[in-house]
């Protein structure tokens, strides 16, 4: 019985080769079409009758959310290359090391939500420097830059420490150093900051201006000392006829006049612009 069935099937196949071939081809076409449509639905949508590409590309469909976030962080940091380059030079930390640390510490993607990357990077570097000074250089480079560059630095760091009034900061620096006093420029100290050893020496002018604005922010504005007179009462004090410590009147007058000349300085200063100014 079994032999007859097999013989019948063989005879049928031999007598109907053409028809069976056509049927098989038809089935193959149908299966291929169904597979195509299923894949198309997976990766494409339809909007108002027009086919549009899905947000997620085919090659990334199997990526984990963590891998996708890490890639986004890397791309974001590449886009911020100018800021990273400038601030790495300012703090004297190897740029490649800084990139590695940023990728590691912000792998969760937190940094993607920043509204001021330069501010966050300065705060990150400041904390890192306080905790591990060995990562940072201490090479001293006396300032050879002109007034325009130094004023631009003041503006840049006032954008980061936004409570500090730029015109007051520039006015103080102008009175204290005139941006030309060689002894102060050799120490990258434009505001006359003192320590027990005398005039503080900073490793480069960018770092010196950063420290100046941070000092104003933390030591004055954060304590409510936000006018020239209030700042002067601590920064450059004297005792009046009533025995009360106040700002030296001449200092207040000089800083006020100098500050007024910077009141209209509205130029947008970015890390990229500072790099260009430094090169030129």
């Amino acid at each position: 019985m079994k032999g007859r069935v097999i013989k019948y099937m063989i005879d049928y196949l031999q007598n109907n080769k053409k028809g069976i071939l056509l049927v098989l081809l038809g089935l193959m076409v149908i299966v291929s079409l169904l597979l195509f449509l299923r894949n198309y639905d997976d990766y494409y949508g339809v909007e108002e009758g027009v086919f549009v590409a899905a947000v997620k590309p085919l090659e990334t469909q199997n990526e984990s959310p963590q891998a996708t976030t890490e890639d986004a962080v890397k791309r974001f940091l590449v886009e911020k290359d100018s800021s990273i380059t400038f601030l790495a030079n300012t703090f004297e930390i190897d740029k490649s090391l800084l990139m590695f640390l940023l990728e590691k510490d912000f792998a969760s993607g937190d940094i993607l939500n920043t509204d001021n990357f330069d501010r966050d990077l300065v705060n990150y570097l400041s904390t890192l420097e306080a905790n591990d000074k060995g990562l940072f250089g201490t090479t001293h480079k006396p300032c050879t830059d002109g007034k325009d560059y130094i004023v631009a630095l003041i503006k840049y760091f006032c954008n980061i420490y936004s409570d500090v009034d730029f015109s007051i900061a520039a006015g103080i620096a102008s009175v204290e150093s005139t941006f030309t006093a060689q002894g102060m420029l050799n120490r990258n100290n434009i505001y006359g900051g003192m320590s027990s050893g005398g005039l503080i020496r900073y490793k480069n002018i960018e770092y010196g201006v950063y420290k100046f604005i941070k000092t104003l922010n933390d030591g004055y504005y954060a304590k409510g000392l936000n006018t020239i007179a209030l700042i002067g009462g601590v920064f450059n004090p004297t005792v009046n006829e009533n025995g009360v410590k106040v700002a030296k009147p001449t200092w207040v007058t000089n800083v006020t006049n100098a500050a007024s000349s910077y009141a209209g300085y509205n130029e947008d200063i970015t890390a990229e612009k500072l790099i260009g100014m430094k090169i030129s």
Side-chain angles (χ1 to χ4, degrees), residues 113-134:
N113 299 318
T114 181
D115 61 349
N116 188 329
F117 175 75
D118 292 53
R119 176 200 62 207
D120 292 345
L121 183 53
V122 165
N123 290 337
Y124 175 84
L125 286 165
S126 178
T127 301
L128 187 64
E129 186 179 42
N131 294 331
D132 195 346
K133 292 186 183 297

Side-chain angles (χ1 to χ4, degrees), residues 181-209:
Q182 199 58 52
M184 299 179 76
L185 293 181
N186 286 342
R187 292 170 174 77
N188 298 305
N189 186 333
I190 59 169
Y191 69 106
M194 303 292 289
S195 68
S196 58
L199 193 65
I200 300 172
R201 188 178 80 163
Y202 297 110
K203 50 192 173 183
N204 57 62
I205 188 60
E206 293 81 10
Y207 191 82
V209 174

Side-chain angles (χ1 to χ4, degrees), residues 26-66:
L27 288 173
M28 290 175 64
V29 170
I30 291 172
V31 170
S32 298
L33 182 60
L34 289 173
L35 289 173
F36 172 79
L37 290 174
R38 187 182 69 180
N39 289 334
Y40 196 91
D41 288 340
D42 285 343
Y43 303 115
Y44 290 83
V46 177
E47 181 179 344
E48 297 182 357
V50 180
F51 289 106
V52 293
V55 172
K56 198 170 187 180
L58 299 180
E59 61 271 20
T60 62
Q61 62 174 316
N62 294 320
E63 288 185 6
S64 68
Q66 181 64 22

Side-chain angles (χ1 to χ4, degrees), residues 99-145:
M99 286 288 285
F100 170 78
L101 293 173
L102 290 172
E103 289 179 13
K104 176 177 67 72
D105 291 341
F106 294 98
S108 64
D110 293 343
I111 202 169
L112 301 177
N113 299 318
T114 181
D115 61 349
N116 188 329
F117 175 75
D118 292 53
R119 176 200 62 207
D120 292 345
L121 183 53
V122 165
N123 290 337
Y124 175 84
L125 286 165
S126 178
T127 301
L128 187 64
E129 186 179 42
N131 294 331
D132 195 346
K133 292 186 183 297
L135 298 177
F136 298 83
T138 57
T139 303
H140 177 245
K141 305 170 187 174
C143 177
T144 58
D145 300 286

